[in-house]
Amino acid sequence: WIELYNGSPTAFSLQGWRLRVTGAEDGGDLRTNEFTFPVTAFSSGGRHTLVYCDEERRSLYHTGFRLSGKGGTIALLDPAGTPVDLVEYPPQLENISYSRFRDGLKSFVFNPLPSPETPNPANGLVEPMLRFDGVKPTSLQPGRLLRLFAQVQTDVGVSSLRVFYQRLDLPNSEVQT
């Protein structure tokens, strides 16, 4: 979904407003889609409006297209076609939302506890993900450095990674770092 927040105390009509979404398809080609708000759409003061990005149109607020999980750009256009807000979002994480740190602020964070139609609380950092990709077989020789391959992903950056290991060819060997 895409959530809009009206931080002003005044409601206004969204008639003629559009969302322009550009993102990569599975083949890597960029695709641009547009969603036009229905004539009955209003943005209430201090409230959130949800637009559902789904290929199936089940309501006036379903776009008929999905967001790219590989990242993209979302532009909110006023009736004259002028961009009012522009968000470039990164590749998405499973079951994690990408939202403004707090409603109305410019900074964005990955959020482990999405809060549709309610204020964005500070839910803490998203737990890092680690994928072990294996060992370089030629490095498995006495006196050579062991070469490991892994991928680490986190929303704020990786500063270090520790590997704990133990030799299995020596009984009762100590755990090394």
Side-chain angles (χ1 to χ4, degrees), residues 119-160:
N120 291 343
N123 289 319
L125 299 176
V126 174
E127 191 172 311
M129 292 183 285
L130 171 72
R131 187 179 89 202
F132 179 66
D133 291 333
V135 177
K136 184 174 183 179
T138 58
S139 71
L140 293 171
Q141 297 178 15
R144 295 197 69 182
L145 291 176
L146 180 62
R147 191 148 185 210
L148 306 170
F149 297 92
Q151 292 186 28
V152 181
Q153 185 173 347
T154 180
D155 62 331
V156 291
V158 178
S159 63
S160 66

Side-chain angles (χ1 to χ4, degrees), residues 57-74:
R57 294 187 142 217
R58 291 174 270 193
S59 77
L60 293 174
Y61 290 92
H62 279 81
T63 61
F65 59 86
R66 299 177 64 84
L67 290 175
S68 171
K70 297 177 180 183
T73 303
I74 302 169

Side-chain angles (χ1 to χ4, degrees), residues 154-173:
T154 180
D155 62 331
V156 291
V158 178
S159 63
S160 66
L161 174 66
R162 283 191 197 182
V163 176
F164 294 89
Y165 65 95
Q166 185 176 16
R167 290 187 57 170
L168 299 177
D169 61 336
L170 298 174
N172 303 319
S173 64

Side-chain angles (χ1 to χ4, degrees), residues 14-36:
L14 288 171
Q15 181 178 355
W17 287 67
R18 293 173 289 151
L19 288 170
R20 181 176 292 150
V21 180
T22 303
E25 294 183 327
D26 288 337
D29 296 332
L30 283 181
R31 179 180 205 146
T32 300
N33 292 294
E34 280 197 1
F35 168 77
T36 302

Side-chain angles (χ1 to χ4, degrees), residues 23-152:
E25 294 183 327
D26 288 337
D29 296 332
L30 283 181
R31 179 180 205 146
T32 300
N33 292 294
E34 280 197 1
F35 168 77
T36 302
F37 284 89
V39 295
T40 57
F42 275 85
S43 178
S44 300
R47 303 289 305 251
H48 302 82
T49 302
L50 282 183
V51 176
Y52 301 93
C53 298
D54 194 344
E55 292 166 337
E56 217 176 296
R57 294 187 142 217
R58 291 174 270 193
S59 77
L60 293 174
Y61 290 92
H62 279 81
T63 61
F65 59 86
R66 299 177 64 84
L67 290 175
S68 171
K70 297 177 180 183
T73 303
I74 302 169
L76 176 63
L77 309 174
D78 67 14
T82 305
V84 174
D85 197 4
L86 181 76
V87 174
E88 290 185 24
Y89 68 94
Q92 297 301 285
L93 305 174
E94 190 172 333
N95 297 319
I96 304 291
S97 71
Y98 185 69
S99 62
R100 294 193 190 270
F101 176 68
R102 296 266 190 212
D103 290 338
L105 295 181
K106 290 186 183 268
S107 60
F108 280 78
V109 295
F110 283 103
N111 191 334
L113 302 170
S115 58
E117 294 187 306
T118 61
N120 291 343
N123 289 319
L125 299 176
V126 174
E127 191 172 311
M129 292 183 285
L130 171 72
R131 187 179 89 202
F132 179 66
D133 291 333
V135 177
K136 184 174 183 179
T138 58
S139 71
L140 293 171
Q141 297 178 15
R144 295 197 69 182
L145 291 176
L146 180 62
R147 191 148 185 210
L148 306 170
F149 297 92
Q151 292 186 28
V152 181

